[in-house]
Amino acid sequence: MKCAEDALGCATMERDEVLNGLRAAFAGVERGAVTLHEAEVIDSYGTVAERARAHKRDTDGSWNAIPDEHIKECASALPHLDPASFRYYLPRFIVFALESGSRRAGTIADAVIYALSYTDQRDLNDHKRERFAVLSLEQQTALAAFLEYATQNANEMDAHVAAEALKGYWRAR
């Protein structure tokens, strides 16, 4: 098998498998009530008027159409999305992290990993379980594959937290 002979080629193939799985699992997902820029305003304790203006900025009709610049601008948005919007934006964050090759990609990958991990805070875990409940089995499997990839790429993302997330929730998926 080529992967056993060529570690670089194997890593590329695994990354492509993760990307293809995400694209298939999240195809056709619709956005929820909270938009990306609105969630970023929520993170900075913005006013209702600021949220409304930010909401209008997001006119994408598909998560695939979200520009890279929007992901870069909204790196802190994931924790503030409603469950349906979380499902909508999550694959775009992962695609950006795995394809961009920029220094910002590691920060974005880590934001996803932290959004998929559990903590010692029960209320926060309840919030995360509510968001995870809207994910189909295929979507959960695709996210577990991303976390598995992250555990093998510690130089690019937080492999330790990814491993804990897998152990704590995602491996069973």
Side-chain angles (χ1 to χ4, degrees), residues 93-163:
F93 271 71
I94 296 170
V95 168
F96 173 84
L98 295 181
E99 287 187 338
S100 74
S102 71
R103 286 183 36 187
R104 188 77 170 143
T107 302
I108 299 298
D110 288 346
V112 171
I113 292 166
Y114 303 147
L116 296 175
S117 66
Y118 271 23
T119 69
D120 292 334
Q121 300 173 352
R122 181 185 159 99
D123 291 343
L124 184 57
N125 288 340
D126 289 345
H127 171 72
K128 288 183 176 188
R129 272 192 293 277
E130 179 184 324
R131 292 162 53 154
F132 300 163
V134 301
L135 299 167
S136 71
L137 181 59
E138 183 182 20
Q139 291 164 349
Q140 291 179 27
T141 301
L143 294 173
F146 164 72
L147 290 169
E148 192 69 49
Y149 175 84
T151 66
Q152 300 167 11
N153 290 279
N155 58 330
E156 298 173 25
M157 52 197 83
D158 195 332
H160 175 74
V161 174

Side-chain angles (χ1 to χ4, degrees), residues 4 14 22 24 40 60 67 83 109 115:
E14 289 173 5
L22 278 166
E40 192 69 15
D60 47 88

Side-chain angles (χ1 to χ4, degrees), residues 13-85:
M13 186 179 78
E14 289 173 5
R15 183 192 68 138
D16 290 345
E17 288 176 13
V18 170
L19 290 168
N20 291 337
L22 278 166
R23 288 185 177 110
F26 288 88
V29 169
E30 295 182 11
R31 185 176 67 206
V34 179
T35 70
L36 187 63
H37 284 90
E38 180 182 7
E40 192 69 15
V41 168
I42 292 168
D43 182 66
S44 60
Y45 302 97
T47 66
V48 172
E50 290 170 327
R51 280 182 66 175
R53 280 192 302 275
H55 186 95
K56 291 178 184 176
R57 288 189 64 190
D58 296 306
T59 59
D60 47 88
S62 166
W63 65 264
N64 289 309
I66 300 167
D68 286 353
E69 286 306 310
H70 289 197
I71 301 301
K72 291 177 196 175
E73 292 168 2
C74 300
S76 300
L78 286 175
H80 307 288
L81 296 166
D82 61 275
S85 291

